[in-house]
Amino acid sequence: MKWFGAALILLCSTLYGLEQAKKLRDRPQQIRQLRVALQALEAEMLYGQTPLAQASENIAKQLEGAIGDMFACFAANLRARKQTAMDAWREALEAVWEETALKSGEREVLHQFGATLGTMDRSQQQKQLKLAQAHLEREELEAKETQLRYEKMAKTLGVLAGLLLVILFV
C-alpha cells in the first residue's frame, strides 16, 4: 500500500510539473494568436469596413482554443446589443481568461485595447490596434525567454518534488 501511495504522489507531482511546463509553452503561442487576431481585426474593420461583430465572428472561425473562444464570445455579446463594445470585450475576456496561459501583462494590454473599441474614428482605432500589437509583441518576447528559461525546470521540479515527498513519507 505504501508503494501505491508513493507512486500516486510521484505521478501527481510529475503531472503538475508537466502542466506548468505546458502553460509556459502555450503562453507565447497564445500571444502570437492574439497578435494575428488583432491584425485581422484591423484589416476587417479598417479596410473591409466590416462591422465589429461580424469581424469578430470571422476571426473566431480562424482561431482555435481560448483565443478563438474569446472572439466568439465577444461577437455574441455584441450581437446581443445589451452593452457597449468595451463592456462586451471585458466580459468576453473574463469569460475565457481561466482557459488561457496568459499573464497579467497581456490582460492589461487587452483591457486597455478594449476600452478604446468603438469609441474612436478609424485612424485613431488603427493607432490603438498598432499600439496593442506592439505591446503584445514585447510580451511575446518576454514569454519566449521565460519559456526557454523555465520550461525544462518545471518538468524536472515536478518529478524531483514528488521524489522528495516520497522519500520523506517512506
Side-chain angles (χ1 to χ4, degrees):
M1 195 60 150
K2 272 186 179 180
W3 294 109
F4 177 72
L8 190 62
I9 289 173
L10 185 60
L11 176 69
C12 289
S13 67
T14 300
L15 289 176
Y16 181 76
L18 291 174
E19 180 63 28
Q20 294 304 311
K22 183 182 182 313
K23 286 182 181 180
L24 288 169
R25 186 176 50 253
D26 288 349
R27 185 172 170 231
Q29 293 171 346
Q30 289 180 355
I31 295 171
R32 193 172 320 109
Q33 276 187 322
L34 274 171
R35 289 181 51 219
V36 167
L38 291 180
Q39 287 172 344
L41 185 64
E42 178 183 14
E44 292 265 357
M45 287 173 43
L46 300 175
Y47 305 115
Q49 296 185 356
T50 309
L52 194 53
Q54 182 62 44
S56 297
E57 281 180 5
N58 295 343
I59 292 168
K61 290 175 187 174
Q62 297 171 12
L63 299 175
E64 298 176 354
I67 305 304
D69 293 345
M70 182 180 72
F71 277 91
C73 184
F74 177 54
N77 291 345
L78 287 174
R79 293 238 186 254
R81 296 183 186 257
K82 296 180 182 175
Q83 51 196 349
T84 64
M86 177 182 73
D87 292 336
W89 180 261
R90 286 183 191 259
E91 188 177 302
L93 196 57
E94 296 303 320
V96 299
W97 189 258
E98 294 300 320
E99 299 172 28
T100 69
L102 301 174
K103 302 278 184 183
S104 60
E106 294 88 22
R107 184 181 215 153
E108 184 60 32
V109 169
L110 293 173
H111 275 295
Q112 288 175 1
F113 169 70
T116 66
L117 270 175
T119 61
M120 301 178 172
D121 65 359
R122 287 175 25 161
S123 65
Q124 290 297 319
Q125 191 69 61
Q126 184 177 22
K127 288 178 185 176
Q128 289 300 319
L129 281 161
K130 294 286 187 196
L131 180 64
Q133 290 171 14
H135 285 299
L136 287 173
E137 184 178 2
R138 185 191 71 234
E139 292 291 334
E140 183 181 2
L141 291 174
E142 184 264 324
K144 284 179 183 177
E145 289 175 10
T146 302
Q147 176 192 2
L148 290 173
R149 188 176 304 148
Y150 296 116
E151 182 180 16
K152 187 174 181 179
M153 183 178 71
K155 291 176 189 176
T156 305
L157 279 178
V159 174
L160 292 177
L163 285 173
L164 177 65
L165 286 174
V166 167
I167 289 170
L168 290 175
F169 289 139
V170 173

